């Protein structure tokens, strides 16, 4: 959003859809629009339009902002409302990652699966594929009844590779410990609101580990940086980075900030990986809110 005098200039958003019969429709410019993106979930778009009549059932929807696709997904709800002003369609849709949540995997056990095997068997039928340097097969996959594709992938990545998946809406899936994120230096002049939450509850004063010879919990590692708080934890193993604490940062900008989940953002001396993005359009204009965690410096 850019203000020119008293006039609000909005980003150019257009919504397209495809019907059950394959007809392509231009739904047009939404009166209201939100797009919520969160790590580990399918992005959710909500948009409202004025229409002449009820449309044929929609099977896909695409949103463009200034000519660039920012959302492509599956309509979950088509809500039609008739008022004295006319007929309105409220559309709720999730991005294609929803297919990994909605579809289940047949119960089975697989020994030493490779990432390429996992990709071909479980992801590629839904338009996703894994991009990784790991070639060998490791571990075991045990699929229980009712497990979603995303749930199986999260468990496989966590237990075997000690990481989590980075799922992009273009279909690519990366291992977080291999992923190279983009970096964004946000313009403070477009900042509307900033909120900083210091998470004191996450400070641990001491970790106690088992002795390598006897197994008794008598090896103490103390937090020499954050003092004045007593909070002891017992662990089988750890490293010094577990003493780090991260605070929550919430920034709201004018207009639609060009950013993606997992990007590294820096603004107002705070820096961290974007975990959530909310694009909003309302009568006051367009805005973007991002959430991330910034390492605590004690200041």
């Amino acid at each position: 959003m850019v203000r020119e005098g008293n006039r609000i200039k909005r980003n150019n958003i257009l919504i397209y859809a495809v019907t059950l019969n394959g007809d392509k429709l231009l739904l047009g410019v939404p009166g209201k629009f939100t797009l919520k993106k969160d790590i580990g979930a399918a992005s959710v778009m909500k948009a409202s339009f004025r229409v002449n009549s009820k449309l044929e059932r929609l099977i896909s929807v695409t949103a463009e902002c200034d000519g660039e696709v920012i959302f492509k997904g599956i309509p979950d709800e088509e809500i039609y409302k008739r008022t004295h002003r006319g007929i309105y369609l409220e559309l709720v849709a999730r991005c294609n990652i929803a297919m990994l949540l909605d579809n289940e995997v047949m119960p089975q056990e697989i020994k030493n699966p490779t990432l390429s095997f996992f990709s071909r068997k479980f992801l590629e039928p839904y338009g996703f594929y894994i991009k990784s340097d790991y070639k060998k097969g490791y571990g075991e996959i045990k699929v229980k009844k009712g497990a979603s594709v995303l749930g199986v992938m999260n468990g496989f990545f966590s237990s075997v590779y000690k990481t989590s998946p980075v799922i992009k809406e273009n279909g690519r899936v990366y291992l977080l410990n291999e992923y190279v994120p983009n970096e964004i230096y946000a313009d403070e002049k477009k900042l509307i609101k900033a909120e900083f939450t210091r998470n004191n509850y996450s400070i641990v004063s001491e970790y106690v580990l088992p002795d390598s010879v006897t197994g008794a919990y008598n090896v103490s590692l103390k937090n020499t940086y954050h003092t004045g708080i007593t909070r002891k934890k017992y662990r089988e193993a750890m490293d010094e980075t577990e003493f780090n604490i991260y605070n929550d940062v919430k920034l709201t900008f004018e207009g639609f900030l060009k950013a993606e989940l997992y990007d590294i953002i820096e603004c107002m001396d705070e820096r961290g990986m974007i975990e959530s993005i909310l694009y909003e359009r309302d009568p006051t204009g367009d805005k973007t809110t991002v959430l991330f965690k910034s390492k605590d410096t004690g200041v």
Side-chain angles (χ1 to χ4, degrees):
M1 175 191 72
V2 178
R3 293 186 179 272
E4 296 179 348
N6 292 323
R7 186 169 68 90
I8 296 175
K9 181 181 178 182
R10 300 175 185 270
N11 293 82
N12 184 25
I13 300 176
L14 289 175
I15 309 294
Y16 300 86
V18 177
T19 69
L20 189 62
N21 284 338
D23 296 329
K24 296 181 180 179
L25 305 178
L26 171 60
L27 298 180
V29 179
K32 294 182 180 180
F33 176 86
T34 63
L35 176 56
K36 185 74 161 61
K37 301 186 175 189
D38 293 287
I39 286 178
S43 301
V44 177
M45 185 198 78
K46 297 181 180 180
S48 63
F49 315 85
R50 186 169 180 172
V51 295
N52 294 325
S53 61
K54 187 184 296 183
L55 305 175
E56 185 183 352
R57 187 183 303 275
L58 306 178
I59 61 170
S60 72
V61 61
T62 301
E64 292 185 358
C65 180
D66 297 331
E68 183 177 342
V69 175
I70 59 172
F71 176 88
K72 188 172 183 180
I74 308 162
D76 277 346
E77 295 180 350
E78 301 172 42
I79 306 167
Y80 288 91
K81 294 184 178 181
R82 184 186 294 272
T83 71
H84 66 281
R85 295 180 179 178
I87 302 174
Y88 292 86
L89 167 62
E90 294 181 3
L91 187 62
V92 180
R94 290 178 298 158
C95 76
N96 293 335
I97 294 174
M99 290 189 289
L100 304 182
L101 288 162
D102 294 348
N103 286 280
E104 296 180 356
V105 178
M106 182 179 68
Q108 59 192 286
E109 293 187 10
I110 304 171
K111 302 284 187 180
N112 298 318
T114 63
L115 285 171
S116 60
F117 170 84
F118 188 94
S119 181
R120 289 194 308 273
K121 186 173 179 64
F122 300 118
L123 300 183
E124 291 176 21
Y126 305 108
F128 293 85
Y129 65 96
I130 296 174
K131 187 175 178 63
S132 173
D133 291 331
Y134 286 106
K135 303 300 180 185
K136 294 183 178 180
Y138 300 94
E140 182 179 9
I141 299 175
K142 292 184 178 181
V143 182
K144 295 183 178 180
K145 185 180 179 181
S148 69
V149 176
L150 182 60
V152 173
M153 179 165 60
N154 285 338
F156 178 47
F157 278 33
S158 175
S159 63
V160 176
Y161 298 98
K162 311 303 180 186
T163 190
S164 57
V166 174
I167 308 171
K168 311 297 284 187
E169 292 182 19
N170 63 7
R172 294 183 180 179
V173 178
Y174 302 87
L175 275 69
L176 181 58
N177 56 13
E178 291 184 319
Y179 183 68
V180 180
N182 294 321
E183 297 203 9
I184 299 172
Y185 298 91
D187 186 356
E188 292 185 25
K189 294 179 181 179
K190 294 184 178 181
L191 190 63
I192 300 172
K193 181 182 177 182
E195 184 177 310
F196 176 88
T197 303
R198 181 170 283 155
N199 294 322
N200 295 327
Y201 65 84
S202 63
I203 297 175
V204 176
S205 60
E206 180 183 8
Y207 284 103
V208 182
L209 310 178
D211 183 282
S212 59
V213 178
T214 65
Y217 283 87
N218 56 20
V219 178
S220 174
L221 295 177
K222 294 188 176 181
N223 190 336
T224 58
Y225 181 71
H226 296 97
T227 58
I229 292 177
T230 301
R231 190 172 290 118
K232 183 189 294 186
K233 304 285 185 181
Y234 290 83
R235 294 288 184 272
E236 292 297 319
M238 64 155 290
D239 58 57
E240 295 291 337
T241 61
E242 292 192 43
F243 282 124
N244 295 338
I245 65 170
Y246 292 86
N247 300 310
D248 295 324
V249 182
K250 181 179 181 180
L251 304 178
T252 301
F253 298 90
E254 289 185 344
F256 288 163
L257 179 70
K258 191 172 183 179
E260 291 292 338
L261 298 175
Y262 299 98
D263 285 353
I264 302 298
I265 187 171
E266 187 169 326
C267 185
M268 297 180 61
D269 297 323
E270 302 295 338
R271 176 182 171 87
M273 183 182 74
I274 296 176
E275 299 179 349
S276 179
I277 305 172
L278 174 62
Y279 296 108
E280 294 179 277
R281 163 167 290 181
D282 59 28
T284 65
D286 297 342
K287 57 188 176 182
T288 305
T289 300
V290 297
L291 303 178
F292 62 96
K293 294 186 183 300
S294 181
K295 186 177 178 180
D296 187 275
T297 60
V299 178

